[in-house]
Amino acid sequence: MMPPLGPPLDRVDGRKKVTGGAKFAAEHNLENMAYAAMVMSTIPSGTIRSIDTAAAKRSTGVIAVISHLNAPRLGPAPGQPPAAGQPGAAAPPQQQGNFAEPQLIPFSDNKVHYVGQRIAVVVADTIEHAARGAELVKVTYDETPARLDMQQFREQGVDRAKSLFTKGDADAAFASASVKIDQIYRTPHEHHNPMEAHSIVAAWDGDHLTLYDSSQNIFAVQQTMSRLFGIPKENVHILSQFVGGAFGSKGSTWPHVVIGVLAARMVNRPVKVFLTRKQLFFGNGHRPETQQRVALGANPEGKLLAMIHEGMSQSNDVCTYAERFVRPTKAIYAVDNMRAINPIVSLNLPSPTYMRAPGESPGMFAIESAMDELAYALKMDPLQLRLVNHADVNPEDGKPWSSKSLKECYAQGADKFGWSKRNPEPRSMKSGRDLIGWGMASATYPAHRSPASARAVVKSDGTVTIYTGTHEMGMGTATVMSQLAAETLGIPVERVRFEYGDTTLPPTPISAGSMTAASVGSAVFGACDALKKRVAEIDGVDPATINAESYHTILSKHYLDDVEARFDAKPPQQEPHATQAFGAHFVEVAIDQDIPVVRVQRMVSAFAGGRILNAKTARSQYFGGIIQGIGMALLEETHFDKRLGTFTNVNFAEYMVPTNADVRSIDIIMVPEEDHDVNPIGVKGIGEIGIVGVAPAIANAVFHATGKRVRDLPITIEKLM
Amino acid sequence: MIGSAAATAGLLVAPLLGEEARKNAAATQQADPNAIPVALDVNGKVHQLELDPRTTLLDALREHLDITGPKKGCDQGACGACTVLIDGRRVLSCLNLAAMNSGKKIVTVEGLAGDGRLQAIQAAFIRNDGFQCGYCTSGQICSAVALIREGRAHSDAEIREWMSGNVCRCGCYLGIVEAVKEASNATV
């Protein structure tokens, strides 16, 4: 077995990425390819009265203008029964695909549900001609009253995700508790903003579709295309070799994919869609705003007696998304009396979606801010308060943890940070003109797993190729899977080739929810283990005797060109354990006394996420989560204009993300954790936990520095004036 | 798939017919009446192009020359993914028209590794894991090459400040600073 901390191998695709050799979706320039430019709605609610395409059609190079006026009706949306006159019937869940807006098939009618809806597309021979054509399309509307303000409709919240969780009597326990915190916390709309825009190149050959898609979920895209275009799944070939960041935004099939594929069919040539940065802010998902009430009741020793977590978040009527900010509530502390619910208010806003650590990230901001407030109310060290309420079993269902090393994370993080030297008094620590603040917070994220398959083939020269559909958005999947294969087979990693990102390969789940390593890894491990045994069997030897040279020797001896094995890995039906990763962040901020810009001076973050396959790429993923957490805490907010019904700061200059100058010292501690129950390879997944808890740790440090409690993110200068 | 909805439905979309189809075919053959000649010297090779005057240098490289190392991140000069070297200086190719750069020496990330040998900065990016998805990397590396030449890599703080025009959404800044420092020391 591999050690708990895997060797820090350089990325296997590193050379391609530093030489410009990695081809992203839109970089597949096909012969005779045309370009598509989207036309977006400018009203939040109503119907399209007219679309004047005359000027656009006359414009140089324009091939076609497509909208609901001339587009054919596409098949039923995944999961939806067919409309009258349409073929097909509701598909079973595994065939439903992942269309993001089941109630809004592109160009199916004249209804407008939000600003930025794709209502027409211009196809032309060049990017410039397509963009000019799109500018010339004139649309008129009949507006209807729009629902734009979550506060106004807060009474109409619906528990779409069936999130309600109750245990004991939370209200009674809260009422009788001697120490209480009851506050409202807010997180804003945020956008994923991956560096690579969502993009596709679609090409039809008869009734076969080839689609290069910047997707983190190719098999679901395949299902979606099959259903919407009425062709067998086998006729749809999706390729996604390199994805330029996704963070959840590329997990669903968004309208531009359907529109691009439709356009390619209608103009009978390959079509490229490359959304503009502005367009990415509408209709490709965002983390929706939340308003959360957290009420904590404790006894004077700090033992939590009651925890109430409720509030609301935004969604719309065309998608099914629900931000589940109470998910961590049920997993983080031992409380006997609990009530948690996250209702959804449906508005005329673009469709939200999951963004790195959905649920956990906004939810833990509220919980961990409230815990800090409770610590001050109790005059207790915030870390000590968390230790007092440590959950030894899963609070949700009482199941034992497959493993949990949160206490070690607290201890090692606090030690390295120097937490014991903290003066708890706000505004007590200074450095020159700067107020210094120290804050901490816990982190957690579930260890998910989904079915996945892999095939391993060894050739007589002793080299091995692993085939599995999965994706590489920068998590290091190609690297760690190569390492895992090499380790399992007992060969040097240089002899392993990893083939992925293609629907002709064995199926894998969406690469999201921190489950790729666990899901695909279990399949790769299974396939390699089976291959090793098969090779041993061929020669009638004990698999334990197989070494790096055995493959060549045995295959040559038996005149075999290659031997292969496939493995379909499935999570168990009944999981006796609760599986969850944990961590802790310790933050120092420095804030100028007169111009209160918050600087994160240093962070120490300790995580226990099961076995780490590659210490180098894992460290980078933790960094990435933490740095997006710094953005969430201090910079990121998509402003929404409630009069116009539109997001306003829809570019990279006004939607601020952390730059190099915003990041100073970050220390990652990877607490070794052996877990034999979570899955066959003992990994928990680490893609999201890095961001969870960063924002509250910073907010808590800001309180410690300034004495000001900021309960609505981001913590901008004016909130500290 | 036998018996499934999709298998029996038949393809729902037909190509356009009639006037639009004829125009479609014609558009591929007609030369753009507004096109102008542009000669781009990229990585030591001169390319003669006929381009729409509005074509940015970035689109000329990516769409007309299939040189896709330079990336389109924002197309508005705010992210640095499209950074290339023009006559040795780092430039945002999305804010430059191709026509402005006739005759200038343009170097993209593809032009850095001579004879297949990585430059010190490229190797340092790999060693220090200065990227994850790799989409901003071409721009980061071109920026880093110029930054070292500019003599702005003396300290972590200086590197951070002068590399801040190149956004990395995966958050690889610590690795990037280490890589620049390492390559700078190797170069001096």
Coordinates of all heavy atoms in Angstrom, one line a residue, chain A residues 93-142:
Chain A
P93 N -33.5 8.1 -14.4 CA -32.5 9.1 -13.9 C -31.1 9.0 -14.6 O -30.5 10.0 -14.9 CB -32.5 8.9 -12.4 CG -33.8 8.3 -12.1 CD -34.2 7.5 -13.3
Q94 N -30.7 7.8 -14.8 CA -29.3 7.6 -15.3 C -29.2 8.0 -16.7 O -28.1 8.1 -17.3 CB -28.8 6.2 -15.1 CG -29.5 5.1 -15.9 CD -30.8 4.6 -15.2 OE1 -31.3 5.2 -14.4 NE2 -31.2 3.4 -15.6
Q95 N -30.4 8.3 -17.4 CA -30.3 8.7 -18.8 C -30.8 10.2 -18.9 O -31.0 10.6 -20.0 CB -31.2 7.8 -19.6 CG -30.6 6.4 -19.9 CD -31.6 5.6 -20.7 OE1 -32.5 6.0 -21.4 NE2 -31.4 4.3 -20.5
Q96 N -30.9 10.9 -17.8 CA -31.5 12.2 -17.9 C -30.5 13.3 -18.3 O -30.9 14.3 -18.7 CB -32.1 12.6 -16.6 CG -33.4 11.8 -16.4 CD -34.1 12.2 -15.1 OE1 -33.6 13.0 -14.3 NE2 -35.2 11.5 -14.8
G97 N -29.2 13.0 -18.2 CA -28.2 14.0 -18.5 C -28.2 15.1 -17.5 O -28.6 14.9 -16.3
N98 N -27.7 16.2 -17.8 CA -27.4 17.2 -16.8 C -27.7 18.6 -17.4 O -27.0 19.6 -17.1 CB -26.0 17.2 -16.4 CG -25.0 17.5 -17.5 OD1 -25.4 17.5 -18.7 ND2 -23.8 17.9 -17.2
F99 N -28.8 18.7 -18.2 CA -29.1 20.1 -18.7 C -29.5 21.0 -17.5 O -30.3 20.6 -16.6 CB -30.3 20.0 -19.7 CG -30.5 21.4 -20.4 CD1 -29.4 21.9 -21.1 CD2 -31.6 22.1 -20.2 CE1 -29.6 23.2 -21.7 CE2 -31.8 23.3 -20.8 CZ -30.7 23.9 -21.5
A100 N -28.8 22.2 -17.5 CA -28.9 23.0 -16.3 C -30.3 23.6 -16.1 O -30.7 23.9 -14.9 CB -27.9 24.1 -16.4
E101 N -31.0 23.8 -17.2 CA -32.3 24.6 -17.1 C -33.4 23.7 -17.7 O -33.8 24.0 -18.8 CB -32.1 25.9 -17.7 CG -31.1 26.8 -17.1 CD -30.9 28.2 -17.7 OE1 -31.1 28.3 -18.9 OE2 -30.6 29.1 -17.0
P102 N -33.9 22.7 -17.0 CA -34.8 21.8 -17.6 C -36.1 22.4 -18.1 O -36.8 21.9 -19.0 CB -35.2 20.8 -16.5 CG -34.0 20.9 -15.5 CD -33.5 22.3 -15.6
Q103 N -36.4 23.6 -17.5 CA -37.7 24.3 -17.9 C -37.4 25.4 -19.0 O -38.2 26.2 -19.2 CB -38.4 24.9 -16.7 CG -38.7 23.9 -15.6 CD -39.6 22.8 -16.1 OE1 -40.4 23.0 -17.0 NE2 -39.4 21.6 -15.5
L104 N -36.2 25.3 -19.5 CA -35.9 26.4 -20.5 C -35.0 25.8 -21.6 O -33.8 26.0 -21.7 CB -35.2 27.6 -19.8 CG -34.7 28.7 -20.7 CD1 -35.8 29.2 -21.6 CD2 -34.2 29.9 -19.8
I105 N -35.6 25.0 -22.5 CA -34.9 24.5 -23.6 C -34.6 25.6 -24.5 O -35.5 26.4 -24.9 CB -35.7 23.4 -24.3 CG1 -36.1 22.3 -23.3 CG2 -34.9 22.8 -25.5 CD1 -34.9 21.6 -22.7
P106 N -33.4 25.9 -24.9 CA -33.1 27.0 -25.8 C -33.9 27.1 -27.0 O -34.2 26.1 -27.7 CB -31.6 26.8 -26.2 CG -31.0 26.0 -25.1 CD -32.2 25.1 -24.6
F107 N -34.4 28.3 -27.2 CA -35.2 28.7 -28.4 C -36.5 27.9 -28.6 O -37.0 27.7 -29.6 CB -34.3 28.4 -29.7 CG -33.0 29.2 -29.7 CD1 -32.0 28.8 -30.6 CD2 -32.7 30.2 -28.9 CE1 -30.8 29.4 -30.6 CE2 -31.5 30.9 -28.9 CZ -30.5 30.5 -29.8
S108 N -37.0 27.4 -27.4 CA -38.3 26.7 -27.5 C -39.5 27.6 -27.5 O -40.6 27.1 -28.0 CB -38.4 25.6 -26.4 OG -38.3 26.3 -25.2
D109 N -39.4 28.7 -27.0 CA -40.5 29.7 -27.1 C -40.0 31.1 -26.9 O -38.8 31.3 -26.8 CB -41.6 29.3 -26.0 CG -41.1 29.3 -24.6 OD1 -40.2 30.1 -24.3 OD2 -41.6 28.5 -23.8
N110 N -41.0 32.0 -26.7 CA -40.6 33.4 -26.7 C -40.5 34.0 -25.3 O -40.4 35.2 -25.1 CB -41.6 34.3 -27.5 CG -43.0 34.3 -26.9 OD1 -43.3 33.4 -26.0 ND2 -43.9 35.1 -27.3
K111 N -40.5 33.1 -24.3 CA -40.5 33.6 -22.9 C -39.1 34.0 -22.4 O -38.1 33.3 -22.8 CB -41.0 32.5 -22.0 CG -42.5 32.2 -22.2 CD -43.1 31.3 -21.1 CE -44.5 31.0 -21.3 NZ -44.8 30.1 -22.4
V112 N -39.1 35.1 -21.6 CA -37.8 35.5 -21.0 C -37.9 35.3 -19.5 O -38.9 35.8 -18.9 CB -37.5 37.0 -21.4 CG1 -36.2 37.4 -20.7 CG2 -37.3 37.1 -22.9
H113 N -36.9 34.7 -19.0 CA -36.9 34.4 -17.5 C -35.9 35.2 -16.7 O -36.0 35.3 -15.5 CB -36.7 32.9 -17.3 CG -37.7 32.0 -18.0 ND1 -38.8 31.5 -17.4 CD2 -37.7 31.5 -19.3 CE1 -39.5 30.8 -18.3 NE2 -38.9 30.8 -19.4
Y114 N -34.9 35.7 -17.4 CA -33.9 36.5 -16.7 C -33.1 37.3 -17.7 O -33.1 36.9 -18.9 CB -33.0 35.6 -15.8 CG -32.3 34.5 -16.5 CD1 -31.2 34.7 -17.3 CD2 -32.8 33.2 -16.4 CE1 -30.5 33.7 -17.9 CE2 -32.2 32.1 -17.1 CZ -31.0 32.4 -17.8 OH -30.4 31.4 -18.5
V115 N -32.4 38.3 -17.2 CA -31.5 39.1 -18.0 C -30.3 38.2 -18.4 O -29.7 37.5 -17.5 CB -31.0 40.4 -17.3 CG1 -29.9 41.0 -18.1 CG2 -32.2 41.3 -17.2
G116 N -30.0 38.2 -19.6 CA -28.8 37.4 -20.0 C -29.1 36.1 -20.6 O -28.3 35.3 -21.0
Q117 N -30.5 35.7 -20.7 CA -30.9 34.5 -21.3 C -30.5 34.5 -22.8 O -30.6 35.5 -23.4 CB -32.4 34.4 -21.2 CG -33.0 33.1 -21.7 CD -34.5 33.1 -21.6 OE1 -35.1 33.6 -20.6 NE2 -35.2 32.6 -22.6
R118 N -29.9 33.4 -23.2 CA -29.5 33.3 -24.6 C -30.8 33.2 -25.5 O -31.5 32.2 -25.4 CB -28.6 32.1 -24.9 CG -27.2 32.3 -24.4 CD -27.1 32.2 -22.9 NE -25.7 32.0 -22.4 CZ -25.0 32.9 -21.7 NH1 -25.5 34.1 -21.5 NH2 -23.8 32.6 -21.3
I119 N -31.1 34.2 -26.3 CA -32.4 34.2 -27.0 C -32.2 34.1 -28.5 O -33.1 33.9 -29.2 CB -33.2 35.5 -26.7 CG1 -32.4 36.8 -26.9 CG2 -33.8 35.4 -25.3 CD1 -33.3 38.0 -26.7
A120 N -30.9 34.3 -29.0 CA -30.7 34.1 -30.4 C -29.2 33.9 -30.5 O -28.4 34.2 -29.6 CB -31.1 35.3 -31.2
V121 N -28.8 33.4 -31.7 CA -27.3 33.2 -31.9 C -27.1 33.6 -33.4 O -27.9 33.3 -34.3 CB -26.9 31.7 -31.7 CG1 -27.6 30.7 -32.6 CG2 -25.4 31.6 -31.7
V122 N -25.9 34.2 -33.6 CA -25.5 34.6 -34.9 C -24.3 33.8 -35.3 O -23.4 33.7 -34.5 CB -25.2 36.1 -35.0 CG1 -24.6 36.5 -36.4 CG2 -26.4 37.0 -34.7
V123 N -24.4 33.1 -36.4 CA -23.3 32.3 -36.9 C -22.7 33.0 -38.1 O -23.4 33.4 -39.0 CB -23.8 30.9 -37.3 CG1 -22.6 30.0 -37.6 CG2 -24.7 30.3 -36.2
A124 N -21.3 33.1 -38.1 CA -20.6 33.8 -39.1 C -19.3 33.1 -39.4 O -18.9 32.2 -38.6 CB -20.4 35.3 -38.8
D125 N -18.6 33.6 -40.4 CA -17.3 32.9 -40.8 C -16.2 33.3 -39.9 O -15.2 32.6 -39.9 CB -17.0 33.2 -42.3 CG -16.9 34.7 -42.6 OD1 -17.3 35.5 -41.7 OD2 -16.4 35.0 -43.7
T126 N -16.2 34.5 -39.2 CA -15.2 34.8 -38.3 C -15.7 35.3 -37.0 O -16.9 35.6 -36.9 CB -14.3 36.0 -38.8 OG1 -15.1 37.2 -38.9 CG2 -13.7 35.7 -40.2
I127 N -14.9 35.4 -36.0 CA -15.3 35.9 -34.7 C -15.8 37.3 -34.8 O -16.9 37.7 -34.3 CB -14.1 36.0 -33.7 CG1 -13.7 34.6 -33.3 CG2 -14.4 36.8 -32.5 CD1 -12.6 34.5 -32.2
E128 N -15.1 38.1 -35.6 CA -15.5 39.6 -35.7 C -16.9 39.7 -36.4 O -17.7 40.5 -36.0 CB -14.4 40.3 -36.5 CG -13.1 40.4 -35.8 CD -12.3 39.1 -35.9 OE1 -12.5 38.3 -36.8 OE2 -11.3 38.9 -35.1
H129 N -17.1 38.9 -37.4 CA -18.3 39.0 -38.1 C -19.5 38.5 -37.3 O -20.6 39.0 -37.3 CB -18.3 38.2 -39.5 CG -17.4 38.8 -40.5 ND1 -16.7 38.1 -41.5 CD2 -17.0 40.1 -40.6 CE1 -16.0 38.9 -42.2 NE2 -16.1 40.2 -41.7
A130 N -19.3 37.5 -36.5 CA -20.3 37.0 -35.6 C -20.7 38.0 -34.6 O -21.8 38.2 -34.3 CB -19.9 35.6 -35.0
A131 N -19.6 38.6 -34.0 CA -19.9 39.6 -32.9 C -20.6 40.8 -33.5 O -21.6 41.3 -32.8 CB -18.5 40.0 -32.3
R132 N -20.2 41.2 -34.6 CA -20.9 42.4 -35.3 C -22.4 42.0 -35.6 O -23.3 42.8 -35.3 CB -20.2 42.8 -36.5 CG -20.8 43.9 -37.3 CD -20.9 45.2 -36.5 NE -21.6 46.3 -37.2 CZ -22.3 47.2 -36.6 NH1 -22.5 47.2 -35.3 NH2 -22.9 48.1 -37.3
G133 N -22.5 40.8 -36.1 CA -23.9 40.4 -36.4 C -24.8 40.4 -35.2 O -25.9 40.8 -35.2
A134 N -24.2 39.9 -34.1 CA -25.0 39.8 -32.8 C -25.4 41.2 -32.4 O -26.5 41.4 -31.8 CB -24.2 39.1 -31.8
E135 N -24.5 42.2 -32.6 CA -24.9 43.6 -32.2 C -26.0 44.1 -33.0 O -26.8 45.0 -32.6 CB -23.7 44.5 -32.4 CG -22.6 44.4 -31.4 CD -21.3 45.1 -31.8 OE1 -21.4 45.9 -32.8 OE2 -20.3 45.0 -31.1
L136 N -26.2 43.6 -34.2 CA -27.2 44.1 -35.2 C -28.6 43.5 -35.0 O -29.6 44.0 -35.6 CB -26.7 44.0 -36.6 CG -25.5 44.8 -37.0 CD1 -25.0 44.4 -38.4 CD2 -25.8 46.3 -37.0
V137 N -28.7 42.5 -34.2 CA -30.0 41.8 -34.0 C -30.8 42.8 -33.0 O -30.3 43.1 -32.0 CB -29.8 40.4 -33.3 CG1 -31.2 39.9 -33.0 CG2 -29.1 39.5 -34.3
K138 N -32.0 43.1 -33.5 CA -32.8 44.0 -32.7 C -34.0 43.2 -32.1 O -34.8 42.6 -32.8 CB -33.4 45.2 -33.6 CG -32.3 46.1 -34.2 CD -31.9 47.1 -33.2 CE -30.8 48.1 -33.7 NZ -29.5 47.4 -33.9
V139 N -34.1 43.3 -30.8 CA -35.2 42.6 -30.1 C -36.1 43.5 -29.4 O -35.7 44.5 -28.8 CB -34.6 41.6 -29.1 CG1 -35.6 40.7 -28.4 CG2 -33.5 40.7 -29.7
T140 N -37.4 43.3 -29.5 CA -38.4 44.0 -28.7 C -39.1 43.1 -27.8 O -39.2 41.9 -28.1 CB -39.4 44.8 -29.6 OG1 -40.1 43.8 -30.3 CG2 -38.7 45.8 -30.5
Y141 N -39.6 43.6 -26.7 CA -40.2 42.7 -25.6 C -41.5 43.3 -25.1 O -41.8 44.5 -25.3 CB -39.2 42.7 -24.4 CG -37.8 42.2 -24.7 CD1 -36.8 43.2 -24.9 CD2 -37.5 40.9 -24.6 CE1 -35.5 42.8 -25.1 CE2 -36.2 40.5 -24.8 CZ -35.2 41.5 -25.1 OH -33.9 41.1 -25.3
D142 N -42.3 42.4 -24.6 CA -43.4 42.8 -23.7 C -43.0 42.4 -22.3 O -43.0 41.2 -22.0 CB -44.7 42.1 -24.2 CG -45.2 42.6 -25.5 OD1 -45.3 43.8 -25.7 OD2 -45.4 41.7 -26.4

